[in-house]
Amino acid sequence: MKKSARGVTLIELMVVIAVLAVIASIAVPSYRGYVRRAQRADATAALLQLRQMQEKFFLQNSQYATGAQLTTAPPGGLGLKTTSEHGHYDIVLNRPTPTTFTATATASATGGQTSDGPCQTFTINEAGVRGSGPGAITTCWK
């Protein structure tokens, strides 16, 4: 009488491992792309908040705040941080004239967004014109 084998053979185990490796090699890069795109919202939210605070400052002072006033508490400044909320982007405010400004969010070296090739930099100005670099604005500001 023949005894039936129980358990998993080595070949079956290797096939399962190979299938899992193929699935992981497809899923991990795709997941990283989704995470990078989701973290772009950190930059856009910070810039939109900065623009809103600049408009409020302009209504009260007839001029926009300078880069030095970015972190100064109101009423003398905007009271914002120089990094985005989650730390993925560094925020810089440039005011060439009292009635114009450009705010820039650049991927922070510690935030993980430096590998986000097309969308490492976001900009917005006093007119609400959005920009990004080196990618297209339609891709980055979604």
Side-chain angles (χ1 to χ4, degrees):
M1 187 187 255
K2 220 176 188 186
K3 207 175 191 184
S4 64
R6 293 185 182 180
V8 179
T9 66
L10 183 59
I11 293 174
E12 292 171 336
L13 183 62
M14 294 307 288
V15 168
V16 169
I17 290 173
V19 169
L20 289 175
V22 169
I23 291 171
S25 69
I26 294 169
V28 170
S30 179
Y31 173 74
R32 286 186 183 153
Y34 286 120
V35 169
R36 277 193 295 271
R37 282 192 295 181
Q39 290 174 343
R40 290 176 193 164
D42 197 30
T44 58
L47 290 179
L48 291 173
Q49 180 187 18
L50 191 147
R51 182 170 183 263
Q52 180 184 15
M53 296 297 288
Q54 278 284 57
E55 293 302 325
K56 181 179 177 182
F57 189 89
F58 187 84
L59 288 173
Q60 294 171 347
N61 301 293
S62 299
Q63 65 179 3
Y64 290 112
T66 64
Q69 293 172 309
L70 178 65
T71 57
T72 306
L78 302 177
L80 299 174
K81 297 188 300 185
T82 57
T83 59
S84 58
E85 181 181 357
H86 299 290
H88 299 296
Y89 291 87
D90 296 323
I91 309 298
V92 176
L93 177 60
N94 181 21
R95 188 195 81 169
T97 69
T99 58
T100 62
F101 76 89
T102 301
T104 305
T106 306
S108 173
T110 60
Q113 286 300 99
T114 54
S115 61
D116 189 8
C119 303
Q120 292 184 9
T121 304
F122 293 83
T123 60
I124 195 166
N125 67 12
E126 75 285 346
V129 177
R130 300 171 180 182
S132 61
I137 188 171
T138 56
T139 304
C140 297
W141 275 86
K142 282 187 183 180

